[in-house]
Amino acid sequence: MASWVRFDITAIKPEEGAPAPDRLISGNPTFRTWNVEEADGGLYAGIWEATPGKWRIAYDEWEYFHILSGHSIVMEEAGRPIHLRAGDSMVLRAGFKGTWEVVETTRKDYVIRV
């Protein structure tokens, strides 16, 4: 087994999903997730894509992500909107609560630690 993993999703079938109905605020967003790596200790990495819509988010985990394409707005409760576009990176820490709005279909790569 190699000691490296390339983020190549061409041979990976994406998991499909959507926000839970009780979290949906607007639109009809759908998700596709390509899980590239799952490591011992609750570490995950891959690529996630969402279509336009807005929903509530609440993080129990730590996540680093880098926007590959699209335009999204993340807003913490009682916070200011943060516009995210290709090239932007962010860390959301456990305990983050707010909203995620996809303005233009957004794709990001991510690393999550549970």
Side-chain angles (χ1 to χ4, degrees):
M1 176 190 242
S3 58
W4 57 271
V5 175
R6 185 179 183 121
F7 269 51
D8 179 2
I9 62 172
T10 56
I12 299 173
K13 182 177 179 180
E15 294 176 13
E16 304 207 5
D22 63 331
R23 291 185 180 239
L24 186 62
I25 296 170
S26 65
N28 186 26
T30 59
F31 306 150
R32 293 193 307 164
T33 304
W34 294 265
N35 291 307
V36 175
E37 174 77 341
E38 293 184 28
D40 292 340
L43 189 67
Y44 303 90
I47 294 178
W48 175 87
E49 182 179 83
T51 60
K54 185 175 183 179
W55 60 94
R56 285 182 284 286
I57 56 175
Y59 274 64
D60 294 326
E61 65 279 357
W62 176 97
E63 179 182 3
Y64 162 83
F65 60 83
H66 177 82
I67 302 294
L68 301 170
S69 62
H71 175 205
S72 281
I73 303 168
V74 171
M75 190 158 109
E76 191 168 19
E77 288 179 332
R80 61 179 177 78
I82 302 165
H83 290 260
L84 300 167
R85 292 183 173 86
D88 291 335
S89 299
M90 187 174 203
V91 169
L92 294 178
R93 296 182 178 130
F96 181 94
K97 291 182 181 177
T99 60
W100 188 295
E101 179 179 4
V102 174
V103 178
E104 175 186 302
T105 297
T106 298
R107 184 177 280 200
K108 68 179 182 176
D109 60 16
Y110 64 85
V111 177
I112 295 173
R113 185 182 72 198
V114 178

